[in-house]
Amino acid sequence: MTPAARVAAAIEVLDAVLEGQPAEQALSQWGRAHRFAGSKDRAAIRDLVFAALRRRSSYGALGGALTGRGLMIGHCVAGHASLDAVFSGEGYAPAPLSELEQGRARAEQDVSRSDLCDMPDWILSQLDAAYGAEADQICRALRDRAPLDLRVNGRKGDVADAQERLAAEGITAEPVSGVPGALRVGDGARRVAQSAAYRDGLVEIQDAASQAAVLETPVPDAGRVLDYCAGGGGKALALAARSDAEVHVHDIAPARMKDIPARAARAGVDLPVWQAGQGGFDLVFCDAPCSGSGTWRRAPEAKWALTPERLEGYVAAQKEVLRNALPLVRPGGVLVYATCSILPVENADQVGWMAETCPKARLRGQAQLLPNAPGDGFFYAIFDV
């Protein structure tokens, strides 16, 4: 496929997404209907679609319309690509721009700040209040594609081993500064999941910020640990790699944990499922449900789907998680509250709520990690109980 034909395909997929279809589903359906497209073509189309979703406001403003075509016009304007060359109508290229479309296309200096930040106004106001002059930088970081980070499993080898084995399969990876055991993939990212290093459990996919939070968590050398909101088990695996403690997993939606047994077997650890009534844990780690605002470059659709009402629902769910998890910590143990959010209402405000309602939980420390420092946006607070 030519670059212009890929743009035409992205327009088709984006129109389906804007009508309410999930992006991954729309991409899969397009691929099934166009089996002539090779893997490189499908990957390129996917990149175009997700770039447009991350920058939906700015591309829509630059392109003059919130449509698949408008977003791809905006993509070309932002990248200083020739609109006449891409929208030529030749072969499988999209049709030439109409006079109306030519009149609607705008330069970046004519686009509003909120559009250039690619952030809904009501969220941007919260970021302004919390971060001041840093807000624009945070928003712009979320407009770019996220890197692929790996955690080296110390039970199976070290960073040098992992780099050597990955390099043998054409995958380059460099250490992430300030996060021991983390690697950031350069070339060959799409080959990681099929690599021997991954299949053998030497490396696991995990964002560097999430790894940093686990490294700051006071994991006991022995005893019992509970990952209370385990999901796919990434943090439980990281906790288990750090000590000989018995790590249990739990999630309010058990189906989310379906991949844990295979991942645990690959990593060489056992992660038993928590049974109701079990308590007395030395450490309970709660990566609570949240807006996911720190990860919006990975899941850009969530940015545009979030509403004030949904955010209120997350805040209520986080309080419920903390209320339920606190009694599971033994006296003298530790509770960790974490989110992949950059919104204070889900983070620092919840720490304040804990201080008011749960005085026996004493704050030891907290940190708000912002996108690119060192990975996704992430928050964690450590309480002594």
Side-chain angles (χ1 to χ4, degrees), residues 251-306:
D251 199 282
I252 192 171
R256 294 176 187 153
M257 300 192 295
K258 62 182 175 61
D259 294 332
I260 289 181
R263 295 180 74 184
R266 198 168 62 235
V269 297
D270 182 36
L271 299 176
V273 176
W274 174 74
Q275 302 298 318
Q278 293 178 336
F281 287 95
D282 301 281
L283 166 67
V284 176
F285 195 105
C286 301
D287 185 5
C290 70
S291 64
S293 51
T295 67
W296 279 343
R297 54 187 177 175
R298 300 181 190 277
E301 291 167 281
K303 173 166 60 174
W304 309 109
L306 186 66

Side-chain angles (χ1 to χ4, degrees), residues 47-302:
D47 287 347
L48 285 171
V49 167
F50 275 87
L53 293 176
R54 291 186 196 100
R55 302 186 177 211
R56 198 180 84 169
S57 284
S58 61
Y59 280 7
L62 292 169
L66 191 58
T67 63
R69 204 171 149 84
L71 291 175
M72 283 295 95
I73 293 171
H75 171 77
C76 291
V77 172
H80 306 290
S82 169
L83 288 170
D84 290 338
V86 176
F87 291 81
S88 66
E90 298 177 1
Y92 294 100
L97 269 62
S98 66
E99 289 186 11
L100 179 62
E101 287 175 323
Q102 292 175 0
R104 285 176 174 171
R106 289 186 283 171
E108 189 168 297
Q109 61 264 27
D110 299 324
V111 175
S112 70
R113 174 192 171 227
S114 61
D115 281 337
L116 288 177
C117 283
D118 282 294
M119 191 66 64
D121 287 340
W122 70 276
I123 300 174
L124 182 58
S125 65
Q126 293 191 29
L127 298 179
D128 283 337
Y131 301 108
E134 287 186 275
D136 283 25
Q137 181 180 344
I138 293 168
C139 293
R140 288 179 179 266
L142 291 171
R143 290 158 33 109
D144 296 328
R145 183 176 180 172
L148 177 65
D149 295 335
L150 306 175
R151 178 181 56 79
V152 177
N153 181 0
R155 293 178 179 271
K156 297 288 186 85
D158 58 23
V159 167
D161 295 330
Q163 288 180 291
E164 182 178 353
R165 292 188 61 184
L166 290 166
E169 299 189 54
I171 302 166
T172 62
E174 296 297 327
V176 178
S177 178
V179 189
L183 290 173
R184 180 151 295 163
V185 177
D187 296 331
R190 288 189 167 96
R191 294 195 290 272
V192 167
Q194 286 74 47
S195 69
Y198 179 82
R199 293 196 309 270
D200 295 343
L202 175 58
V203 297
E204 186 66 57
I205 296 172
Q206 186 178 16
D207 180 72
S210 173
Q211 294 185 52
V214 173
L215 289 171
E216 290 298 320
T217 297
V219 184
D221 293 332
R224 301 168 69 242
V225 172
L226 172 61
D227 185 350
Y228 189 71
C229 306
K235 294 174 189 67
L237 290 169
L239 291 165
R242 288 191 54 203
S243 82
D244 292 323
E246 185 179 80
V247 179
H248 297 246
V249 294
H250 164 74
D251 199 282
I252 192 171
R256 294 176 187 153
M257 300 192 295
K258 62 182 175 61
D259 294 332
I260 289 181
R263 295 180 74 184
R266 198 168 62 235
V269 297
D270 182 36
L271 299 176
V273 176
W274 174 74
Q275 302 298 318
Q278 293 178 336
F281 287 95
D282 301 281
L283 166 67
V284 176
F285 195 105
C286 301
D287 185 5
C290 70
S291 64
S293 51
T295 67
W296 279 343
R297 54 187 177 175
R298 300 181 190 277
E301 291 167 281

Side-chain angles (χ1 to χ4, degrees), residues 355-375:
E356 294 176 2
T357 61
C358 308
K360 76 171 186 174
R362 300 174 302 280
L363 181 65
R364 181 190 297 193
Q366 61 181 311
Q368 174 70 71
L369 305 179
L370 298 176
N372 289 335

